[in-house]
Amino acid sequence: MPETRYVFVTGGVASSLGKGIISASLAKLLQARGYKVTIQKLDPYLNVDPGTLNPYEHGECYVTEDGAETDLDLGHYERFLNVPTSQANNVTTGRIYQNVINKERKGDYLGKTVQIIPHITDEIKRNIKLLGSKHKYDFVITEIGGTVGDIESLPYVEAVRQLKWELGNHAAVVHLTLVPYLNASGELKTKPTQHSVKQLLENGIQPDVLVLRTEHELSQDIRRKVALFCNVDSKAVIQSIDVKTIYEVPVKMQEEGLDEIVLKKVDLPIDEKPALKDWKGFLNKLHSAKETVKIGLVGKYVELADAYKSIIEALHHAGTYNDRKVKIELIHSEELTDKNIADKLKGLNGVLVAPGFGHRGIEGKLTAVKYVRENNIPFLGICLGMQCAVIEYARNVLNLKEANSREMNERTSDAVIDLMEDQKNVTDMGGTMRLGAYDCNLKKGTKSFDAYGKPDVKERHRHRYEFNNEYIDAYAKAGMQAAGCNPETGLVEIMEIPAHKWFVGVQFHPEYSSTVLKPHPIFMAFIKAAINE
Ligand code: GLN
């Protein structure tokens, strides 16, 4: 077992270049060579975690098994590597400062002036090294959020500089930049990359590998030029050209030799190139699927597809394994009315109602649920989507016209969805929901049981409200039943309508645990039902 190697991934020139995908791809290639690999994201903002951020600000909040609310890049890490991440895989500036200030109050630095350097940088370094020492990974790939040159990123860049010095040939820095193409002159421009590397050098870091995002092939000449100006080997100038799907990136990075350059840099042998058989098998299936299945995704953040990242990816995984291309139609819940619903959902093979918080868009979600229920269209409701299914059934089938979730109307006469008992005294908003993986027992003969093919499952959660068990018999009598419950508390995890073709609402988030090589059973069954629609 080799000593832990540390790879740092920084970004320059522009944000949103896909550091997460490059990190995940490199990790995949190293994992395919038999190494134990993990990826960590350091986020330079002051929120302790992204749980309190609006999805418009930051995209989806991804939840790990251990209940951490994290950056959506962790979703990519899990989807690529097929191994769970944890709180240790996502650290923000807020958390770093919180730890340091807590230590200061405890007296850990007694007598000393607490400063950004060395105390904040030491705390950053401790969090990076923790994954290697505690969890015994061969590789820890640390992605530094933001762009080099940002004031906020400085302590992280300084921590990387120090670690690189300390770790010597057990550390490598991969810097991701953009090579823009100027249409008017028909030229690819490397100057922004040169400037961004200069910026890194000013901060004391010589990158070992440069990954250049580009829309056009980079010639050998361009690579040589970048190598010359940036003091790297020309083999270490790697092109990352736009591809149709992010899942092609590991294959492209292998062709470019990214893993081999990193292995050489950190003094590990370069054995045979892994075949990536399963991965390429998935890609083949993805590309060869001819028929399409059309899924409507009803939510209130549809202007920003990143808000539903894991759901969208989970749909594509399940579609691929069902030999279908998935066409996802993002439908704004605020635009749905009784009048236009038939038109808005026309031609869809299945409808998914998304998770969410608060009242906005709720009536449109209820309208969508009613329509698919009455028209026998396959339906998957996730978290708030499941709660909407429960409310709609109460209003239109149980005839409880005022039925609602306590979240939407505190004074409702029929709170079919109510605040969980242990949430009643919660005042802090950060990290206080029911979070992470909990057991769920499935009832035999239900669609969910058939989907999983086993009685006991564990799924991830992120909610404060739950199905109100006082109504469970009324629902059962009226044709909607609990198909899964938490064995300890009896909390309803799944509601189904047995008479419907496929109508499943889940309180948990199956999308978080769907991976490229392991599509999620609930999504698989939903797509299957949609195909046979
Ligand atoms: N707002 C709902 C709750 O807190 C649903 C949450 C969700 O969809 N993630 O219970």
Side-chain angles (χ1 to χ4, degrees):
M1 188 130 139
E3 254 179 72
T4 307
R5 306 303 205 260
Y6 293 85
V7 179
F8 302 100
V9 180
T10 56
V13 180
S15 58
S16 304
L17 292 181
K19 283 195 299 281
I21 304 295
I22 292 296
S23 304
S25 299
L26 173 61
K28 181 81 219 163
L29 295 176
L30 294 168
Q31 186 193 49
R33 288 175 181 269
Y35 292 108
K36 202 174 157 218
V37 189
T38 193
I39 319 174
Q40 175 185 46
K41 171 102 190 259
L42 303 183
D43 274 313
Y45 53 74
L46 283 170
N47 303 64
V48 172
D49 62 43
T52 52
L53 287 172
N54 187 319
Y56 286 127
E57 294 264 323
H58 199 256
E60 163 190 286
C61 173
Y62 184 79
V63 179
T64 57
E65 279 181 359
D66 67 343
E69 297 178 282
T70 71
D71 186 76
L72 60 79
D73 270 337
L74 271 76
H76 292 310
Y77 307 162
E78 290 202 14
R79 287 187 282 275
F80 276 58
L81 296 185
N82 215 6
V83 285
T85 53
S86 70
Q87 178 63 73
N89 294 78
N90 190 199
V91 181
T92 68
T93 297
R95 190 172 294 277
I96 297 283
Y97 272 77
Q98 193 179 47
N99 291 349
V100 169
I101 291 168
N102 286 344
K103 283 184 198 169
E104 186 276 333
R105 291 289 83 184
K106 264 173 58 197
D108 287 3
Y109 310 113
L110 223 50
K112 290 268 179 265
T113 309
V114 181
Q115 294 179 294
I116 293 181
I117 299 166
H119 301 98
I120 293 295
T121 43
D122 278 354
E123 181 62 17
I124 294 171
K125 283 160 63 181
R126 190 183 70 79
N127 275 278
I128 294 171
K129 288 208 269 190
L130 199 66
L131 276 172
S133 56
K134 201 164 141 205
H135 303 275
K136 306 265 178 300
Y137 285 103
D138 301 324
F139 275 92
V140 176
I141 298 178
T142 299
E143 179 192 343
I144 312 290
T147 310
V148 165
D150 296 348
I151 291 176
E152 306 190 309
S153 303
L154 274 175
Y156 293 101
V157 174
E158 169 60 13
V160 172
R161 185 194 68 75
Q162 293 179 18
L163 277 174
K164 207 172 178 245
W165 176 250
E166 280 169 35
L167 295 163
N169 60 3
H170 284 184
V173 172
V174 176
H175 187 54
L176 177 66
T177 72
L178 173 72
V179 175
Y181 178 76
L182 295 190
N183 232 340
S185 59
E187 277 177 309
L188 285 157
K189 291 295 185 189
T190 65
K191 192 76 85 194
T193 297
Q194 296 175 39
H195 280 294
S196 141
V197 171
K198 223 183 206 148
Q199 180 95 53
L200 262 185
L201 287 167
E202 269 173 32
N203 293 326
I205 297 178
Q206 167 65 55
D208 301 294
V209 185
L210 296 175
V211 178
L212 311 182
R213 276 299 303 273
T214 174
E215 290 170 2
H216 300 269
E217 289 285 334
L218 299 181
S219 66
Q220 284 308 324
D221 266 0
I222 289 186
R223 294 183 196 222
R224 267 197 295 272
K225 185 169 157 194
V226 172
L228 181 72
F229 282 112
C230 302
N231 325 320
V232 295
D233 202 84
S234 66
K235 275 212 183 78
V237 179
I238 292 208
Q239 130 179 323
S240 170
I241 199 158
D242 288 2
V243 278
K244 276 209 197 94
T245 143
I246 52 170
Y247 300 124
E248 274 178 44
V249 179
V251 176
K252 289 278 172 214
M253 289 303 105
Q254 189 183 45
E255 284 167 14
E256 290 278 320
L258 175 62
D259 53 338
E260 294 185 7
I261 292 157
V262 169
L263 284 168
K264 191 165 154 224
K265 175 68 207 149
V266 298
D267 238 356
L268 286 170
I270 302 164
D271 302 326
E272 220 178 295
K273 222 187 245 305
L276 302 176
K277 212 170 134 249
D278 294 348
W279 193 268
K280 286 185 179 166
F282 170 83
L283 282 176
N284 275 341
K285 259 184 159 325
L286 181 73
H287 293 315
S288 57
K290 296 219 163 53
E291 287 175 73
T292 299
V293 59
K294 270 175 108 179
I295 303 294
L297 171 52
V298 179
K300 65 175 170 181
Y301 301 113
V302 290
E303 305 91 331
L304 184 78
D306 263 4
Y308 301 115
K309 193 89 218 163
S310 293
I311 292 177
I312 290 171
E313 295 308 314
L315 285 170
H316 286 303
H317 302 155
T320 302
Y321 285 100
N322 276 299
D323 299 312
R324 290 292 188 286
K325 279 203 183 345
V326 186
K327 190 166 180 306
I328 300 171
E329 223 165 273
L330 298 169
I331 301 167
H332 205 306
S333 50
E334 280 182 298
E335 286 168 9
L336 296 177
T337 62
D338 286 336
K339 262 209 183 101
N340 67 17
I341 190 74
D343 193 42
K344 292 268 187 192
L345 302 188
K346 203 160 109 197
L348 295 175
N349 306 112
V351 171
L352 192 158
V353 175
F357 294 84
H359 187 268
R360 186 168 70 88
I362 203 84
E363 294 304 324
K365 285 185 172 175
L366 295 174
T367 306
V369 175
K370 179 167 188 278
Y371 186 83
V372 297
R373 180 178 59 75
E374 290 178 343
N375 290 281
N376 216 21
I377 297 169
F379 163 80
L380 174 58
I382 300 182
C383 209
L384 182 62
M386 171 267 201
Q387 298 176 353
C388 285
V390 167
I391 298 166
E392 190 278 324
Y393 211 74
R395 288 189 190 174
N396 299 320
V397 181
L398 301 184
N399 230 351
L400 303 171
K401 294 291 173 216
E402 300 301 314
N404 215 333
S405 161
R406 189 87 62 196
E407 181 181 8
M408 312 308 159
N409 177 2
E410 253 193 80
R411 273 183 230 116
T412 174
S413 49
D414 285 293
V416 288
I417 301 291
D418 210 344
L419 191 62
M420 280 181 276
E421 199 49 44
D422 53 9
Q423 287 286 328
K424 290 194 176 149
N425 296 320
V426 170
T427 48
D428 280 4
M429 295 300 277
T432 53
M433 282 187 247
R434 178 173 181 250
L435 290 163
Y438 285 93
D439 289 329
C440 167
N441 285 358
L442 302 169
K443 198 165 154 191
K444 273 214 174 105
T446 59
K447 307 235 172 31
S448 303
F449 186 96
D450 289 349
Y452 285 98
K454 58 179 183 185
D456 303 316
V457 298
K458 223 181 171 85
E459 293 286 358
R460 302 182 205 182
H461 298 74
R462 184 174 188 243
H463 63 122
R464 294 189 199 280
Y465 296 83
E466 63 175 331
F467 178 80
N468 182 344
N469 268 321
E470 281 175 25
Y471 292 87
I472 199 154
D473 293 337
Y475 274 88
K477 265 192 218 121
M480 189 186 243
Q481 63 163 344
C485 289
N486 180 283
E488 276 135 49
T489 61
L491 182 143
V492 171
E493 294 281 7
I494 309 175
M495 285 300 267
E496 291 189 6
I497 300 175
H500 189 282
K501 181 163 192 202
W502 204 89
F503 188 102
V504 177
V506 290
Q507 182 59 75
F508 52 80
H509 291 263
E511 70 274 22
Y512 293 144
S513 45
S514 176
T515 72
V516 168
L517 298 182
K518 244 174 102 198
H520 195 283
I522 288 286
F523 278 89
M524 285 296 280
F526 172 51
I527 294 287
K528 248 192 207 111
I531 291 169
N532 299 325
E533 199 243 332

